[in-house]
Amino acid sequence: MKRYLILEDGKVFPGEGFGSSAITTGQLVVSNNRTGIEQSVTDPDAEGQIMAFTIPGVGSSGINRDYYESINSQCKGVVIGSSISETVDGSIPFEEWVGSLEIPGIKGVDIRALSRYIHDNGEMKASIMDTHDQHAIDQIKALVLPPDLVKQVSTKQSYPNPNIGTKMVIVDLGLKYSILRQLSYRDCNSVIVNYNASPEEIANLNPDGIIFSNGPGDPNDLTQTIKNIKVLQKEFPVLGIGLGSLLIAIANDCKITRLTHPHHESSLAVKEVASGKIDFVNHNHSYTIDQKSIGSSDFIVTNICVSDGSIEGIRHEYLPIMSVLFEPEAAPGPTDGYYVFDEFIDLIDSINHQDWSR
Amino acid sequence: MAKEIIDGQTMTRALTRITYEIIERNKGIEDLVLVGIKTRGVFVAHRIESRLKQLENISIPVAELDITPYRDDKDDQHDTGDVKASPLDFDITNKHVILTDDVLYTGRTIRAAMDALMSSGRPKKISLAVLVDRGHRELPIRADFVGKNIPTSQREKIRVFMKEIDGEDKVEIE
């Protein structure tokens, strides 16, 4: 069935529909991920997003349903050039899988033209529709994306992920399960709470450290969470990942800007400033921290992106606050970033050790 | 049988963390001086210095300290009694000295290092950063910055390898 990807400025890309036949709208995100498509589609960061995958032959590496990053996919639509129906491992074909999640898809799109268009014109809203008349274009222009994306994906009730080690509270802004997997691997005794959980509620859980997770949407919308961070960061060691790190930056009077070329790629080089070490890590963010505002703050820049020089990690000079914009839990992508979790646990241990020895 | 307990990556990470902790606890690093105890402590000092430079854009002085004449366990026959020579080539008076060494064990090396420092000036403060703390202190000394605490028995040996002299970064126990 012929369908159309319509961008908010009226640009139309024709293609063929697959998956759900519903009409869908969302923020169009162009991703250069080569593998781990199932992880990107089930990532809660994809809430409200239509994802375009630029690789040819999507699904050739198979769909592994053990690699989900949430129970239900929040992705609003999938755009591809072509897919491969026979997978190397005999797993479910990509298009059939998208259908089983009831996500609308469109294939046969000139994906290189689309990618360049977004690269030149910036990220925009888009819609997958059956027609591309003026009415359809007017509709997408008038569309206002919901500002409460985090509310949609954050857990309503606290739940535990019990273990025997360091006690962590994870503030769920759109938590990827791989963060919990990495914490479980390090024996962390975790409790996951709603994004607006009060500082008292979190303090009552007596955590050794608090993690503000990744998540979708505009960080400036989350005013209550930012207020909570201001209180909590004085009492507890804090780690921010993705959206969480942007909120920490805002809570400490740093400015947030949109990246000219957003980072949506599972393997992008990041340099650790102190040691000069290069890590290839998964990125999924459209915002960054303004370089100038960091200069006047109490933060030092710990990681930068090699390709565009944007800030990828910060650390407070006096308080135990560390923060990375990339996704250290990988999923998808290389696992170079895992050390961030070790570093946070080391930070907690060194504080506990200090208290004990003084 | 020697067993590797810290690999190159973990050592790099430990040194980076020590650097962050030095920044965190000092509120400005202008007064700092790094003094490495020969041999591997000097490399530890240089690695911390290069990290501080990358992060804060400030170059802080690094000195090497040879504590041989100050040791209390050296052979009496070779004891010349000449311990007055100043081992440092700059003034440490009113500076915050961070002593660095690879392994903290009995604490006798550190005591000797402090004697050597005191004989060449009056530092405002002396802190200690070590890559490995293996326990079994014989003096009331502890490290302010520890890369890794490794509980050991006294029969075991800890060997630190560093790229600058050994060609690779690792710590072995045997």
Side-chain angles (χ1 to χ4, degrees), chain A residues 272-275 300-302 315-318 339 342-343 346-347 350 354 357-358, chain B residues 9 12-13 16-17 20-21 23-25 27-28 50-51 54-56 142 144 149:
Chain A
E272 188 184 62
V273 175
S275 64
I300 46 175
V301 176
T302 54
R315 195 171 171 128
H316 201 278
E317 283 191 280
Y318 318 126
Y339 77 91
D342 295 320
E343 208 168 283
D346 284 346
L347 178 69
S350 80
Q354 270 177 57
S357 64
R358 273 172 196 179
Chain B
Q9 230 182 354
T12 304
R13 215 159 50 70
T16 306
R17 185 170 52 75
Y20 290 140
E21 284 182 22
I23 295 170
E24 267 166 33
R25 286 196 229 155
K27 319 214 167 193
S50 85
R51 284 165 166 76
Q54 291 297 321
L55 288 167
E56 295 279 17
R142 67 169 180 80
D144 303 270
N149 288 296

Side-chain angles (χ1 to χ4, degrees), chain B residues 3 25 39 46 54 89 91 93 116 121 127 139 142-143 159:
Chain B
K3 193 182 143 210
R25 286 196 229 155
T39 307
H46 279 292
Q54 291 297 321
D89 50 6
D91 191 15
T93 304
S127 303
L139 294 168
R142 67 169 180 80
R159 274 205 71 191

Side-chain angles (χ1 to χ4, degrees), chain A residues 160-171:
Chain A
N161 186 25
N163 212 313
I164 50 167
T166 316
K167 178 82 174 283
M168 296 283 188
V169 165
I170 296 115
V171 178

Side-chain angles (χ1 to χ4, degrees), chain A residues 30-51:
Chain A
V30 177
S31 166
N32 295 325
N33 292 1
R34 290 163 185 83
T35 58
I37 304 295
E38 67 275 42
Q39 291 164 322
S40 299
V41 170
T42 55
D43 183 342
D45 281 3
E47 166 77 26
Q49 291 181 350
I50 294 177
M51 302 201 75

